[in-house]
Amino acid sequence: MSHFAQVVRVPGDPILGLIEAYRADPNPAKLDLGVGVYKDARGLTPIPQAVKRAEQRLVETETSKSYIGGHGDPLFGARLAELVLGADSPLLAAQRAGASQTPGGTGALRLAADFIAHCLPGRGIWLSEPTWPIHETLFAAAGLRIGHYPYVGADNRLDVEAMLAALNQLPKGDVVLLHACCHNPTGFDLAPRDWKRVLEVVKARELLPLIDFAYQGFGDGLEDDAWAVRLFASELPELLVTSSCSKNFGLYRERTGALLVCAATPDKLQDVRSQLASLARNLWSTPPAHGAAVVATILDDAELKALWIDELEAMRQRVASLRLGLVEALRPYGLAERFAHIAEQRGMFSYTGLTPAQVQRLRAEDSVYLVGSGRANVAGLDANRLDDLASAIARVCG
Ligand SMILES: Cc1ncc(COP(=O)(O)O)c(C=O)c1O
């Protein structure tokens, strides 16, 4: 008898398929705008100098590889909570907020999902349409009821009115997932006035917000990007925030992130955290140490922190200038207005508005690789070849 005879093959992640097709493409002028990692002008995903220096320090000073606790490195948790909520956060002073270290932002999302499934039974979770595809599969894997609220209209623009109208209909007590900044996959972020309106609906419908914060520092800057999270934390008694250090610290494969909980009282925070440690025991037991130790070392050292902030700001500015550069390159083709949203979006991703057929033509005729939805990773652009890309876009749009 074959135990595995009944096991069928599932299709791979479509973005991984795109990476393979890109690798196999012999065209030297090929352009990878698919994969979701930051790239510098050389097309590389660099290790920040601040990370390198922190790692050197750790190699010299580390004395044990014994397990770290269920909530991870306490210094990492404390410094990350300050980064997200603000060093002067009244919640931190009141011991109403705490961070549990997780393997990346994905681990934080899965821990949040299991917490909701286990401790808040019956609550559904509402995701933006579209959202990061892993949100869909991860919350389904945890057994949660999933619903969607509209986010982008048929005109490829943020549709705040439709979003608010849908949120206003949600069952009381359900969980709503919001992207803190740099919405993946669209790049469309809520303006402060929109966030305030969403907050009012969250209060009126007594929803629990779960804010996914995977790109702090990539939108308008480290502090500005945290504005909505801090608004919600100051106005609501309870909140969940998932934080990822993959992009902003360049620590992708080190799996570094945290689930932050804000609770009404210090005592209730400890109740929730006890559940998180217990749930994590069944997921990964204790989190991996290295990436969090790197982040803690950087954030706890004024010099390293200043270096990291400069490096992060350079990444942010590169993406922002590529956005502007592409729109300018499209101007001679009369397409600057049509693609003006690319400059207004934030973060690495852009819902360009290119159709699946146009994406297909760009790949076949120009070796430009985008996700079928028209999502482009702006960081993958080459500043010296924006004109080539603009001419290719003009051709497939013509
Ligand atoms: C919206 C969003 N959330 C969470 C994550 C999780 O990132 P990681 O698990 O690599 O830290 C990502 C990564 O691409 C993301 O785009």
Side-chain angles (χ1 to χ4, degrees):
M1 169 191 176
S2 164
H3 295 288
F4 298 156
Q6 61 185 319
V7 179
V8 296
R9 195 172 305 183
V10 293
D13 185 324
I15 296 191
L16 297 181
L18 198 68
I19 297 172
E20 277 162 30
Y22 173 80
R23 283 205 188 117
D25 189 335
N27 183 349
K30 62 188 176 180
L31 206 54
D32 175 11
L33 307 183
V35 63
V37 297
Y38 175 79
K39 291 188 189 174
D40 64 15
R42 299 162 301 165
L44 303 175
T45 302
I47 305 173
Q49 277 305 308
V51 168
K52 275 288 189 200
R53 288 204 206 159
E55 287 184 314
Q56 271 157 7
R57 213 180 274 181
L58 286 168
V59 167
E60 283 157 21
T61 56
E62 202 176 39
T63 53
S64 175
K65 294 284 188 193
S66 178
Y67 299 117
I68 51 176
H71 295 292
D73 179 344
L75 183 62
F76 166 80
R79 292 291 166 268
L80 194 75
E82 287 168 4
L83 192 70
V84 171
L85 296 173
D88 56 354
S89 162
L91 271 90
L92 293 174
Q95 300 190 330
R96 281 184 43 215
S100 298
Q101 186 189 322
T102 56
T106 309
L109 287 162
R110 181 60 202 240
L111 186 56
D114 278 12
F115 169 71
I116 296 161
H118 188 79
C119 298
L120 314 176
R123 312 289 184 96
I125 185 155
W126 296 83
L127 311 175
S128 63
E129 174 62 53
T131 193
W132 184 45
I134 308 301
H135 285 149
E136 308 279 355
T137 52
L138 182 149
F139 291 110
L144 295 183
R145 168 170 53 82
I146 297 177
H148 297 92
Y149 59 86
Y151 195 69
V152 173
D155 58 352
N156 194 43
R157 294 292 183 279
L158 183 63
D159 192 346
V160 182
E161 299 308 324
M163 173 185 181
L164 288 167
L167 295 184
N168 249 316
Q169 304 294 320
L170 299 193
K172 282 207 169 168
D174 268 6
V175 181
V176 58
L177 187 134
L178 301 160
H179 297 227
C181 66
C182 308
H183 185 273
N184 183 3
T186 69
F188 288 115
D189 282 349
L190 297 174
R193 64 178 178 281
D194 302 327
W195 276 111
K196 286 183 183 159
R197 294 175 72 197
V198 171
L199 176 63
E200 290 317 308
V201 178
V202 162
K203 285 182 183 170
R205 301 300 307 161
E206 296 175 30
L207 305 172
L208 173 63
L210 165 52
I211 306 189
D212 189 2
F213 204 4
Y215 298 92
Q216 185 173 7
F218 269 90
D220 289 316
L222 264 182
E223 298 296 314
D224 286 355
D225 289 350
W227 182 84
V229 170
R230 294 176 190 175
L231 173 75
F232 275 50
S234 68
E235 292 273 329
L236 297 169
E238 293 163 336
L239 180 67
L240 298 173
V241 183
T242 55
S243 167
S244 167
C245 303
S246 300
K247 312 283 157 63
N248 52 10
F249 285 88
L251 280 168
Y252 307 85
R253 66 174 67 160
E254 299 296 353
R255 313 309 301 130
T256 312
L259 173 58
L260 272 95
V261 178
C262 304
T265 64
D267 200 42
K268 191 45 69 184
L269 176 66
Q270 293 314 322
D271 292 345
V272 175
R273 283 170 64 80
S274 73
Q275 291 286 349
L276 297 183
S278 161
L279 291 163
R281 192 88 178 98
N282 294 329
L283 290 168
W284 47 75
S285 188
T286 57
H290 181 72
V294 169
V295 170
T297 303
I298 293 172
L299 295 181
D300 204 46
D301 180 292
E303 203 183 315
L304 285 182
K305 187 174 176 187
L307 173 61
W308 168 67
I309 289 175
D310 281 353
E311 293 184 282
L312 176 58
E313 184 58 16
M315 291 195 271
R316 187 186 78 77
Q317 284 183 8
R318 170 176 151 76
V319 177
S321 79
L322 286 168
R323 287 183 176 281
L324 290 171
L326 180 57
V327 175
E328 279 317 303
L330 286 160
R331 195 171 296 286
Y333 301 96
L335 291 172
E337 296 288 301
R338 174 163 163 192
F339 288 101
H341 56 276
I342 294 180
E344 286 151 23
Q345 294 160 334
R346 287 290 178 273
M348 293 199 305
F349 302 119
S350 168
Y351 243 34
T352 57
L354 293 167
T355 64
Q358 290 165 338
V359 167
Q360 190 52 45
R361 276 190 67 193
L362 281 175
R363 191 183 312 176
E365 297 169 22
D366 302 275
S367 297
V368 175
Y369 290 76
L370 275 83
V371 183
S373 60
R375 186 195 86 165
N377 177 2
V378 179
L381 293 174
D382 180 341
N384 299 317
R385 291 179 44 220
L386 292 177
D387 292 335
D388 295 347
L389 179 62
S391 123
I393 291 175
R395 203 182 61 252
V396 300
C397 288

